[in-house]
Amino acid sequence: MPVRHVLIADDHRLFADGLSRLLREGGYSVSIVNALHEVEAIVVDGKPDVVLLDLAFGHDSALPLLRTLRREHPQLPIIVVSAMEERVIIDSVLATGASYIAKSRASTDLRAALETVLAGGQVPRPHLNPLVGKFGARRIGTIQFTDQQIAVLAQLRDGDSNGEIAIALGRSIKSIEHHLAGIRQKIGLTTRGQLIRWAREHASELGDDPVHPPG
Amino acid sequence: MAPLVWLVVISTALALGTAGVLIWAAGSVQRERIHATIEWGRRLLVAQEEERAAIARELHDSVVPDLESLEMHVAGNTSTTGEATRIAQRVRSISRLLHPGVLDHLDLNAAVQQLVATDAVWPFTVDVDIQALPTFTRSQRVAAFRIIQEALANVRRHAGAEGVIVSAFHEGESVVVTIHDDGAGFVVPPAERLSSLGLRSMRERAEALGGTLLIESARPGGTTIRATFPTMAN
């Protein structure tokens, strides 16, 4: 099997060296780049088989570069090796199609991950704590609403008053007014009549069959 | 006689005028001092946030990887395996307290989602409705995040709320950030008599960046905190 070439992009030299030693021992050929703005050129010139990319380069985030690399070199496997272990960060990385390994797991998990991506496989999604909050968002047309706003719109479509909506959703009237303000701001409509008409025009997209059919 | 009368009138007027100018000047010196003090406080706040961010980045991007490298170098030595990683975890959580690192990579929405969904368990539901805010600067994002964080902590401590709505959107030339809860509400003291450090610091953070902060509360009805930031044209 030909020697595989790994490019390590990390501004932390000690970490990059440690990683490099680990990989050389495993029979890989390794090069290191410490500056974010040099990564893309080295990818083009050096044609690595795989890139290990850190996310934080001083003040700068490597996420925009990651998106560019994924777009320009879709065949090149990239594993993000990062000390950022926040769920939203991991989700953004995975959304680009790259793999993710926490720096804290690099010494134990990286070799296996490398073999997986070099064989054309996908690194398993890291174990993440389940989301506690509930804030799915849904698009109607071009406008994105929160779950609560959708629920309010569905009640509005059925002709409910704010008091009725509040009871139905187990929220205060004030909170319903707040949701309505948010909805108005997004749709760009001001009167309640306009909002109700809008909700009825988008009745099917609001889920659940209306209690009182429109019309 | 007449010229003498005029002289008296004119000199009296001059004296009064001078006194007026002096009093006015004294007042304005006082005002300037107050303004300077307020301005100084605001700059301190911004500087403090920047300094914390720098320390947090240093911990997160240097000390943590140092420890991870150490882990790699001692790999295989069973008596120390995992020790460096455990220290790294502790350092990472200190860094997170100092500065919301997510904001270095993603937008306000992502940072608030992280705060609400995974960093803590909140005894109320939170509806997060934060639009893309392309004109928001990094310091505005941090200030808005801190205000939201503080407001949620207040709701948890005092309000007994069931639902909270966090929203941020463009309104004309401004970005408006609101945190509304349906909790117990409280009597809002006048701005200059705000005794709660949390409420004060929220106001200071908004004002330090040229914004304003409004607190509205009713019993029943809950509390709405509304921070308005000017959008910078730079």
Side-chain angles (χ1 to χ4, degrees):
Chain A
M1 203 168 91
V3 173
R4 303 295 205 137
H5 177 203
V6 182
L7 175 64
I8 299 173
D10 195 322
D11 63 345
H12 191 278
R13 287 165 201 272
L14 189 60
F15 185 83
D17 289 345
L19 208 55
S20 164
R21 182 183 312 176
L22 202 73
L23 296 178
R24 281 183 217 274
E25 281 167 11
Y28 293 96
S29 119
V30 181
S31 44
I32 297 176
V33 50
N34 298 120
L36 185 62
H37 66 273
E38 291 171 4
V39 177
E40 199 177 357
I42 291 178
V43 164
V44 172
D45 293 344
K47 299 191 174 49
D49 295 302
V50 57
V51 177
L52 304 181
L53 178 66
D54 183 21
L55 277 188
F57 287 73
H59 280 59
D60 299 319
S61 170
L63 267 178
L65 171 73
L66 174 63
R67 296 195 183 104
T68 309
L69 288 177
R70 291 291 308 153
R71 195 177 56 239
E72 305 289 329
H73 312 272
Q75 300 306 318
L76 172 67
I78 301 175
I79 303 176
V80 166
V81 184
S82 173
M84 295 293 300
E85 297 186 9
E86 281 82 356
R87 165 101 190 215
V88 285
I89 298 279
I90 299 173
D91 285 345
S92 315
V93 167
L94 297 179
T96 68
S99 301
Y100 171 90
I101 295 244
K103 275 195 173 170
S104 58
R105 313 279 313 168
S107 57
T108 52
D109 296 2
L110 189 61
R111 293 261 287 270
L114 268 179
E115 277 151 35
T116 307
V117 298
L118 286 172
Q122 197 71 38
V123 177
R125 197 184 156 81
H127 169 75
L128 298 173
N129 293 329
L131 288 178
V132 183
K134 231 186 82 182
F135 38 72
R138 224 158 79 200
R139 225 169 250 287
I140 294 186
T142 55
I143 309 172
Q144 184 142 318
F145 295 97
T146 68
D147 278 350
Q148 291 264 317
Q149 289 172 339
I150 297 271
V152 169
L153 276 168
Q155 299 284 328
L156 205 61
R157 166 199 64 190
D158 300 347
D160 289 356
S161 70
N162 285 3
E164 287 167 322
I165 299 175
I167 292 167
L169 302 182
R171 290 279 171 272
S172 70
I173 294 183
K174 194 91 185 155
S175 295
I176 302 304
E177 286 168 1
H178 222 83
H179 281 309
L180 285 171
I183 294 168
R184 281 198 176 95
Q185 201 272 335
K186 282 184 190 176
I187 309 182
L189 298 174
T190 44
T191 71
R192 192 179 183 87
Q194 289 172 323
L195 280 187
I196 294 174
R197 209 169 312 131
W198 192 94
R200 292 192 170 157
E201 280 163 12
H202 298 83
S204 57
E205 293 156 85
L206 291 171
D208 302 331
D209 288 336
V211 183
H212 319 290
Chain B
M1 282 303 281
L4 189 61
V5 171
W6 277 115
L7 194 64
V8 171
V9 168
I10 289 168
S11 53
T12 309
L14 276 177
L16 283 175
T18 311
V21 167
L22 281 176
I23 290 167
W24 177 83
S28 97
V29 165
Q30 189 82 16
R31 270 195 302 277
E32 254 170 46
R33 254 187 220 151
I34 292 170
H35 280 304
T37 311
I38 293 173
E39 184 54 32
W40 175 241
R42 287 174 184 167
R43 281 186 195 185
L44 269 184
L45 199 71
V46 173
Q48 182 200 46
E49 196 66 64
E50 279 167 10
E51 196 175 74
R52 280 185 180 177
I55 298 169
R57 276 188 208 111
E58 193 61 27
L59 287 175
H60 197 276
D61 304 336
S62 284
V63 180
V64 168
D66 278 347
L67 290 163
E68 310 289 14
S69 331
L70 184 65
E71 186 71 44
M72 240 168 332
H73 288 290
V74 300
N77 181 346
T78 45
S79 67
T80 52
T81 296
E83 200 50 47
T85 299
R86 275 192 288 280
I87 302 172
Q89 291 291 3
R90 282 208 293 279
V91 176
R92 189 179 288 120
S93 51
I94 296 171
S95 153
R96 204 177 291 161
L97 282 178
L98 283 170
H99 174 68
V102 170
L103 283 178
D104 288 347
H105 299 276
L106 297 170
D107 61 5
L108 181 65
N109 186 35
V112 174
Q113 302 270 1
Q114 174 71 33
L115 173 71
V116 167
T118 56
D119 285 354
V121 178
W122 305 93
F124 39 74
T125 65
V126 187
D127 204 42
V128 180
D129 185 20
I130 298 178
Q131 296 180 359
L133 305 166
T135 59
F136 229 24
T137 63
R138 196 192 282 252
S139 12
Q140 286 177 323
R141 283 203 299 271
V142 173
F145 180 82
R146 293 291 199 199
I147 289 171
I148 292 167
Q149 195 177 28
E150 183 64 40
L152 286 175
N154 276 344
V155 176
R156 176 177 14 217
R157 276 197 295 269
H158 307 296
E162 286 181 28
V164 175
I165 305 166
V166 178
S167 64
F169 49 83
H170 280 285
E171 196 176 81
E173 299 290 291
S174 306
V175 169
V176 180
V177 178
T178 62
I179 305 98
H180 166 77
D181 73 74
D182 61 2
F186 65 103
V187 179
V188 184
E192 65 280 8
R193 304 234 315 265
L194 271 183
S195 56
S196 148
L197 200 59
L199 293 178
R200 276 186 85 112
S201 79
M202 280 192 249
R203 180 183 301 279
E204 288 298 324
R205 282 180 194 286
E207 290 178 353
L209 298 171
T212 57
L213 188 113
L214 265 177
I215 306 166
E216 271 175 24
S217 196
R219 302 175 164 211
T223 304
T224 305
I225 288 168
R226 185 182 158 94
T228 306
F229 294 91
T231 50
M232 312 276 178
N234 59 0

